[in-house]
């Protein structure tokens, strides 16, 4: 078991909040705080995956603990860069005490981040970083290391030789880039007999990722494995395997993130395993760092929130179960 977890206790403590308090969907709230508590605007990449609701649960736990007011919202899909940029503009218009931001496009938000900096509003990046030195810190998984861990398990599963492919969620966010690059670089450096025949981008959309996976398999009938870089990508690959009636012994599927469909796929043997982050910890650390920035404290450049590899052998381990989400 790969163990690089930060704040497992945080995740366990917030599980109840996740179950009872997160119905999903954006929660826009006009105006800033109530005039007494510092107001922190949190803008995620989306709401269509359970991952973001788990991040929200951690953020809300920290907001209660540190006595600040937050809003937590995200675009309709993880491809809606323009909608996310508009949300960032709206947040700035409310003049918050700080902003938490998970960039869909690591460069598109540059002018608004500069506006925040010019206005003295600290920005905490989370999940994804941005190509800017404006954020005071970034709370995220070490995605390069986590993707390398996924690659290691893929190589072992296919007997260290054969053709594999990648269905990534995007090539604009740092998570998309790093989860692709960490996987590819591990293969290139450690598995000379493994060939990556294709890398496609499905925008994190399950249906599109399934179509891409089916096209890759059709073009490479001797393919031995596919890696999906986020929840939607991985579930899409599993859906393709189901629709094509492929045996798990013939095609190894490795994923990233959690969610009920992935947990079911692992229990049913359709997916070898996946990397899980600590989404509750990411949300918690984002708000905690924002509060510290508001108070003028110096923060590290990055806050590593940890990751685990999980599969059928450890999915019910209490430590793993604490960071999985449905």
């Amino acid at each position: 078991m790969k163990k690089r977890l930060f704040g497992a206790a945080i995740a366990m403590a917030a599980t109840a909040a996740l179950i009872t308090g997160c119905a999903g969907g954006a929660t826009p709230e006009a105006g800033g705080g109530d005039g007494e508590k510092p107001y922190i605007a949190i803008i995620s990449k989306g709401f269509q995956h359970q991952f973001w609701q788990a991040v929200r649960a951690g953020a809300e736990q920290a907001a209660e603990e540190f006595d600040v007011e937050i809003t937590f919202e995200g675009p309709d899909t993880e491809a809606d860069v323009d909608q996310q940029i508009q949300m960032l503009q709206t947040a700035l218009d409310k003049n918050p005490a700080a902003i938490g931001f998970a960039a869909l496009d690591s460069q598109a938000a540059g002018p608004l981040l500069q506006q925040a900096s010019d206005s003295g509003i600290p920005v905490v990046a989370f999940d994804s970083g941005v190509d800017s030195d404006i954020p005071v810190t970034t709370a995220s998984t070490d995605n390069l290391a986590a993707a390398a861990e996924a690659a290691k398990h893929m190589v072992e599963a296919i007997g260290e030789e054969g053709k594999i492919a990648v269905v990534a969620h995007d090539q604009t966010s740092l998570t998309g880039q790093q989860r692709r690059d960490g996987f590819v670089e591990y293969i290139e450096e450690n598995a000379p007999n493994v060939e990556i025949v294709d890398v496609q981008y499905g925008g994190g959309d399950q249906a599109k990722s399934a179509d891409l996976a089916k096209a890759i398999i059709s073009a490479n009938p001797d393919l031995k494995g596919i890696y999906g870089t986020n929840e939607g990508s991985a579930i899409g690959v599993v859906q393709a395997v189901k629709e094509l009636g492929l045996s798990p012994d013939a095609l190894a599927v490795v994923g990233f993130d959690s969610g009920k469909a992935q947990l079911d796929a692992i229990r049913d043997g359709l997916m070898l395993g996946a990397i899980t982050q600590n989404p509750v910890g990411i949300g918690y650390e984002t708000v905690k760092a924002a509060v510290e920035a508001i108070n003028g404290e110096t923060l590290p450049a990055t806050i590593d929130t940890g990751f685990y590899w999980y599969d059928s052998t450890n999915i019910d381990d209490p430590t793993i179960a604490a960071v999985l989400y449905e």
Side-chain angles (χ1 to χ4, degrees):
M1 177 193 308
K2 183 72 175 181
K3 183 178 181 181
R4 296 192 56 195
L5 181 66
F6 180 86
I10 292 169
M12 297 176 69
T15 299
L18 171 62
I19 295 172
T20 60
C22 296
T27 55
E29 179 177 336
D34 60 10
E36 297 179 356
K37 297 180 180 180
Y39 165 55
I40 301 169
I42 309 293
I43 302 170
S44 72
K45 288 182 175 178
F47 262 98
Q48 72 273 44
H49 300 314
Q50 293 298 314
F51 175 84
W52 295 114
Q53 296 187 33
V55 174
R56 176 178 176 176
E60 290 178 339
Q61 184 194 358
E64 181 176 356
E65 180 176 332
F66 295 105
D67 196 26
V68 296
E69 181 181 352
I70 68 168
T71 50
F72 195 107
E73 55 188 331
D76 294 336
T77 76
E78 295 185 24
D80 288 333
V81 175
D82 290 344
Q83 186 184 11
Q84 189 192 48
I85 294 300
Q86 183 56 54
M87 287 178 169
L88 180 57
Q89 179 65 71
T90 301
L92 285 168
D93 292 343
K94 296 177 183 177
N95 194 31
I99 289 177
F101 185 58
L104 280 174
D105 188 312
S106 61
Q107 296 185 356
L112 292 182
L113 294 178
Q114 187 61 54
Q115 180 182 334
S117 178
D118 294 343
S119 301
I121 300 171
V123 176
V124 175
F126 68 100
D127 185 64
S128 284
V130 295
D131 290 335
S132 167
D133 58 2
I134 290 176
V136 294
T137 189
T138 299
S140 69
T141 303
D142 182 342
N143 284 291
L144 286 171
E149 182 72 10
K152 184 185 79 172
H153 286 275
M154 174 67 85
V155 171
E156 292 173 353
I158 65 172
E160 302 186 1
E161 63 179 3
K163 297 178 180 179
I164 62 174
V166 177
V167 175
H169 52 285
D170 66 54
Q171 51 187 330
T172 56
S173 71
L174 287 186
T175 60
Q177 297 165 10
Q178 292 175 348
R179 292 181 195 176
R180 174 200 61 201
D181 293 347
F183 185 90
V184 170
E185 289 168 4
Y186 179 92
I187 298 295
E188 292 177 345
E189 295 172 2
N190 299 282
N193 297 320
V194 175
E195 179 187 5
I196 299 175
V197 296
D198 205 352
V199 179
Q200 294 290 331
Y201 302 90
D205 180 80
Q206 178 180 339
K208 185 176 181 180
S209 297
D211 289 342
L212 290 172
K214 286 187 286 187
I216 293 171
I217 294 168
S218 176
N220 301 276
D222 55 345
L223 197 71
K224 297 181 72 173
I226 301 182
Y227 162 56
T229 64
N230 79 343
E231 182 179 350
S233 306
I235 294 172
V237 174
V238 169
Q239 184 62 36
V241 170
K242 286 182 179 178
E243 293 179 13
L244 295 173
L246 299 176
S247 167
D249 294 332
L251 186 74
V253 178
V254 170
F256 210 110
D257 292 326
S258 177
K260 186 177 187 307
Q262 284 201 77
L263 301 183
D264 290 345
I266 289 174
R267 295 186 192 281
D268 294 341
L270 294 173
M271 177 178 285
L272 175 68
I275 297 293
T276 182
Q277 305 180 78
N278 180 4
V280 175
I282 291 174
Y284 180 93
E285 292 296 334
T286 298
V287 173
K288 178 174 180 285
V291 171
E292 292 170 343
I294 293 169
N295 292 333
E297 299 180 30
T298 300
L299 296 167
T302 60
I303 300 171
D304 185 354
T305 52
F307 66 85
Y308 277 122
W309 165 262
Y310 70 102
D311 56 24
S312 62
T313 68
N314 66 357
I315 193 171
D316 294 319
D317 183 295
T319 303
I320 295 293
V323 293
L324 299 178
Y325 46 92
E326 296 189 356

